[in-house]
Amino acid sequence: MNTRLCSNHSSRARDVALQHWLCEVLGPDAPVPIPLCADASFRRYLRVQDHGRSLVVMDAPPEHESPQCFVRMAELLVQLGFSAPRIIAQDLAMGFLLLEDLGDRTYTRALSEGACETRLYQLAMETLLSLQQRTRNWPQDADPIAPPYNTERLLNETSLLLDWYLPKVTGTPCEAEVRAAFNHAWNAVLPMAQQLPHALVLRDFHVDNLMVLPGRSGTAACGLLDFQDAVWGPLSYDVVSLLRDARRDVPKDLHDALLAQFIQHYAADGVSAAALEHSYWILGAQRTTKIIGIFTRLWLRDSKSTYLRHLPRLWRLLEEELAHPALAPVQDWYAHHLPLRLRLTLPGITLA
């Protein structure tokens, strides 16, 4: 059977099931929801009107996604006083959620409309520091707040580069000795990134997932999205997500000022400034390496080639990150196994 026809049939059946659920929740006259923006995952988002009230529908197929994680984290963030979408209704078995609608004005949209860049990023940093302050050093034994973001998991994420990008540019699967050298290099640096206090890490804390919320004050004015994959990890990771953005250039002076603010904030609390800096740049290289692999996978596996337009920025970011002395072993691996001539050379794709 044609897999595309099968997929379309499955999609239509899911649309029918979703509409049936909305009629149960909102009443028999529930309108058909309108699709919102595309997502890099298997989730999709739609907007529906309920007697003048706008709501968002999340369709998260449970065979691919974990709607339970979204619900748990959303409820936790709201409990802590942050502006995550409130859960209106849920069917976890089907993967359907009805959420508070935080609007359309993401940081990305606000910045494109001329909003003050410094003010928005400063609010994001204040929100992040507040979140870390409220979750830092929470007990992780009996009922952990989130799974650990340990060295093993970080290393597994970097391997996406070997699984997707490297084979595409070399034309052959990654050789065992190349993978072993890669793992050895990362194992030499990743433990240094862990030498910080740990807190809740949202993992995708960047302008596409932050909302401008009028009528709310303080950190509540910064809406939070896409936190279902939250983990328990080093304080530096979400700062990396914000300032080493895969999709947007952050001006150097703003980057440097906010990074200095972050380091000074925790150094005043007794955390080593050197450890903070090392962790930031190591996790920067880790995240950039991972995302190059993810964006290549989105192209090859999911036919989402639009993400490839970000690769020039990602390689530029990685060059900056690898220049930090703490990353010397990883820089050596790149020089030997993925030199400049093999970067930005995906067959059949122009990345100018």
Side-chain angles (χ1 to χ4, degrees):
M1 179 182 290
N2 185 298
T3 57
R4 178 169 294 180
L5 289 176
C6 183
S7 175
N8 289 341
H9 175 75
S10 175
S11 176
R12 287 195 298 271
R14 192 159 179 84
D15 287 342
V16 170
L18 175 59
Q19 188 63 38
H20 178 74
W21 178 71
L22 285 175
C23 287
E24 290 182 345
V25 173
L26 300 178
D29 59 344
V32 175
I34 299 172
L36 294 175
C37 58
D39 191 86
S41 70
F42 290 97
R43 296 183 302 275
R44 61 173 180 155
Y45 297 90
L46 309 97
R47 177 170 282 136
V48 65
Q49 300 298 319
D50 176 40
H51 299 94
R53 177 180 61 160
S54 181
L55 300 171
V56 168
V57 179
M58 178 193 288
D59 177 5
E63 66 271 23
H64 298 298
E65 301 289 335
S66 299
Q68 297 91 336
C69 295
F70 182 93
V71 170
R72 182 181 184 189
M73 200 52 57
E75 290 176 343
L76 173 64
L77 291 169
V78 170
Q79 179 185 347
L80 292 173
F82 296 99
S83 292
R86 295 179 181 271
I87 310 297
I88 308 300
Q90 58 186 280
D91 184 333
L92 296 181
M94 286 296 295
F96 297 149
L97 299 177
L98 191 59
L99 311 173
E100 174 189 10
D101 189 351
L102 297 184
D104 293 313
R105 201 160 191 247
T106 63
Y107 265 41
T108 299
R109 176 169 293 185
L111 289 165
S112 71
E113 294 171 349
C116 178
E117 189 174 45
T118 299
R119 188 174 302 150
L120 286 183
Y121 273 90
Q122 184 62 51
L123 174 59
M125 180 63 75
E126 291 171 2
T127 302
L128 180 56
L129 292 175
S130 178
L131 175 63
Q132 292 176 342
Q133 182 66 31
R134 298 183 198 191
T135 60
R136 178 180 167 187
N137 297 325
W138 275 18
Q140 282 288 99
D141 42 15
D143 185 23
I145 184 176
Y149 213 18
N150 52 29
T151 296
E152 179 182 6
R153 184 164 183 174
L154 289 165
L155 180 61
N156 287 340
E157 291 179 349
T158 62
S159 296
L160 291 169
L161 180 94
L162 306 183
D163 298 336
W164 295 94
Y165 187 88
L166 188 64
K168 189 61 180 176
V169 296
T170 62
T172 60
C174 180
E175 298 178 355
E177 57 269 29
V178 173
R179 187 178 294 271
F182 181 86
N183 291 342
H184 180 76
W186 280 107
N187 275 320
V189 303
L190 284 174
M192 286 190 286
Q194 297 281 1
Q195 295 174 2
L196 292 181
H198 283 39
L200 185 65
V201 174
L202 301 186
R203 294 183 73 198
D204 286 309
F205 191 85
H206 55 70
V207 294
D208 283 353
N209 293 328
L210 301 176
M211 304 292 297
V212 179
L213 302 180
R216 304 193 191 188
S217 60
T219 58
C222 180
L224 303 177
L225 303 177
D226 201 8
F227 41 71
Q228 62 280 337
D229 296 322
V231 290
W232 184 257
L235 296 170
S236 53
Y237 191 90
D238 277 343
V239 182
V240 168
S241 300
L242 180 66
L243 301 182
R244 311 294 296 173
D245 198 325
R247 298 169 178 82
R248 182 179 190 275
D249 290 322
V250 179
K252 186 178 185 306
D253 57 347
L254 181 58
H255 167 278
D256 293 351
L258 290 171
L259 178 57
Q261 176 186 349
F262 167 74
I263 291 175
Q264 291 166 9
H265 176 87
Y266 283 110
D269 198 23
V271 182
S272 164
L276 289 160
E277 181 186 346
H278 287 178
S279 184
Y280 176 83
W281 290 104
I282 291 169
L283 291 180
Q286 185 273 345
R287 180 175 170 82
T288 304
T289 296
K290 170 182 70 174
I291 294 176
I292 292 172
I294 289 174
F295 284 1
T296 309
R297 182 178 66 185
L298 284 168
W299 167 44
L300 296 175
R301 187 191 69 184
D302 305 327
S303 300
K304 297 179 179 180
S305 61
T306 57
Y307 289 91
L308 296 181
R309 71 181 186 272
H310 302 299
L311 288 186
R313 174 183 299 105
L314 286 163
W315 281 114
R316 187 175 72 249
L317 291 175
L318 187 58
E319 283 296 306
E320 297 170 5
E321 291 150 2
L322 293 178
H324 192 279
L327 282 147
V330 179
Q331 185 181 48
D332 288 344
W333 181 90
Y334 270 98
H336 285 92
H337 300 291
L338 197 51
L340 290 175
R341 64 181 178 81
L342 290 179
R343 303 175 195 177
L344 302 178
T345 58
L346 292 172
I349 294 292
T350 300
L351 298 169

